[in-house]
Amino acid sequence: MRKAFKEMESAFGEKELGLACLKLGLKLDQEGEDPEQTLSFATRALNALDKEDDSNKPSFPVAMALQLMGSANYSLKKFNDSLGYLNRANRTLGRLEEEGYNVADIRPVLHAVQLELANEALGFCTKALEIHKEQLGQNSVEVAHDRRLLGVIYTGLEEHEKALEQNMLSQKVLKNWGLSSDLLRAEIDAANMQIALGKYDDAINTLKGVVQQTDKESETRALVFISMGKHYVIRKKFSDAKRCWRLLVESLTRKRESPL
């Protein structure tokens, strides 16, 4: 591929070489052996494709080039640069999806972007947890919040056992501090993790417990019905799922009509 690209360089301009740079960069990134060279091809691809697309419309090749830039910078431990490119790729892919671009093409790239964002977040969150444990102690509110966030990150990485473990540790501290609002959100997170692990009975029991502690027009109650509906759809209990969606609409309607 590199030999063919060298021959193309003498015959084509930079705009025409953009897609070739992207394909070669993606191949190198997949092999993971030469991140510097990967970044070089990614930069050339993005510069060429971004200039070619002079409209304000989102471009799928540009989104792929942004994802490649993010991945290459991450491999080189240039985390701030990586985060910027991945966030831009995420926004571009979201706009493409909204405008009806082929979902089958978008979803694999979007998954790669969001997985890389989660890996970017994991290191920072783990470091924050270590600092807070050392300076404030195991049972501090800050540690509880770090653990809850770690649970969310592990969920994004599809490491659901680790996610649930961190969530349970977070809940224990939140209970001790009497932080009921944060605790309810953590319990909803836990239910979603239980669903991902196939622990459906545990999940529904968790969600029923949260419902009993929420006001009829609260946002937390609405989140419960979303999770319960997802639970019933997975188990193909569609009548129960429809009932949850109906309760969700009623909860949101009450919130909208409630006085300030």
Side-chain angles (χ1 to χ4, degrees):
M1 288 180 70
R2 293 193 196 200
K3 184 178 179 181
F5 182 79
K6 283 290 183 184
E7 293 175 358
M8 289 176 65
E9 280 187 302
S10 61
F12 296 95
E14 199 65 17
K15 282 187 177 181
E16 291 78 11
L17 290 171
L19 285 175
C21 286
L22 178 59
K23 290 179 180 178
L24 190 50
L26 289 169
K27 177 65 175 175
L28 291 171
D29 190 49
Q30 184 181 25
E31 293 173 353
E33 295 179 359
D34 194 347
E36 289 281 3
Q37 191 67 38
T38 301
L39 182 60
S40 175
F41 280 111
T43 303
R44 287 184 68 178
L46 182 60
N47 289 339
L49 296 170
D50 228 1
K51 287 178 182 177
E52 184 180 1
D53 181 26
D54 55 3
S55 69
N56 289 323
K57 292 184 178 180
S59 163
F60 185 59
V62 168
M64 292 183 68
L66 288 166
Q67 182 270 326
L68 182 59
M69 288 286 289
S71 180
N73 276 289
Y74 182 84
S75 296
L76 293 167
K77 301 189 185 305
K78 298 178 180 179
F79 299 123
N80 286 337
D81 290 340
S82 175
L83 188 59
Y85 288 117
L86 291 172
N87 278 329
R88 187 179 162 199
N90 198 40
R91 290 194 300 271
T92 302
L93 291 165
R95 287 178 59 200
L96 284 166
E97 192 168 15
E98 289 173 3
E99 295 184 10
Y101 198 89
N102 190 342
V103 174
D105 290 334
I106 291 174
R107 288 291 169 83
V109 183
L110 186 59
H111 177 75
V113 167
Q114 293 179 346
L115 188 64
E116 286 163 350
L117 282 170
N119 278 316
E120 170 77 329
L122 181 60
F124 285 120
C125 191
T126 302
K127 185 63 176 178
L129 176 61
E130 291 172 359
I131 293 171
H132 286 145
K133 281 166 59 178
E134 182 179 343
Q135 296 184 355
L136 304 172
Q138 287 273 9
N139 296 317
S140 66
V141 174
E142 289 79 5
V143 165
H145 289 157
D146 292 341
R147 289 195 184 282
R148 184 189 164 202
L149 180 56
L150 264 180
V152 174
I153 293 169
Y154 277 128
T155 297
L157 294 170
E158 298 183 0
E159 297 187 34
H160 302 297
E161 291 285 1
K162 289 183 179 179
L164 192 57
E165 178 186 0
Q166 292 298 326
N167 182 279
M168 292 294 106
L169 290 169
S170 175
Q171 283 192 47
K172 184 177 179 181
V173 177
L174 293 171
K175 284 177 184 176
N176 291 338
W177 283 95
L179 299 174
S180 57
S181 178
D182 289 337
L183 179 59
L184 290 176
R185 293 295 182 108
E187 288 178 345
I188 294 171
D189 289 344
N192 289 325
M193 296 166 190
Q194 288 164 338
I195 290 171
L197 288 167
K199 298 178 178 180
Y200 301 118
D201 292 337
D202 290 341
I204 206 66
N205 288 334
T206 299
L207 293 170
K208 285 179 179 178
V210 175
V211 167
Q212 294 173 4
Q213 303 174 63
T214 57
D215 297 327
K216 290 186 177 180
E217 68 276 4
S218 72
E219 290 183 6
T220 303
R221 191 181 186 90
L223 290 173
V224 171
F225 291 134
I226 291 172
S227 295
M228 289 180 78
K230 179 171 68 174
H231 159 82
Y232 285 126
V233 167
I234 290 173
R235 302 192 73 180
K236 298 184 179 180
K237 296 184 176 181
F238 300 115
S239 60
D240 289 330
K242 286 178 66 177
R243 180 170 56 84
C244 288
W245 305 143
R246 187 177 67 252
L247 292 170
L248 170 62
V249 172
E250 290 175 2
S251 178
L252 294 174
T253 301
R254 286 195 192 96
K255 180 172 179 60
R256 185 181 61 187
E257 293 175 350
S258 63
L260 295 176

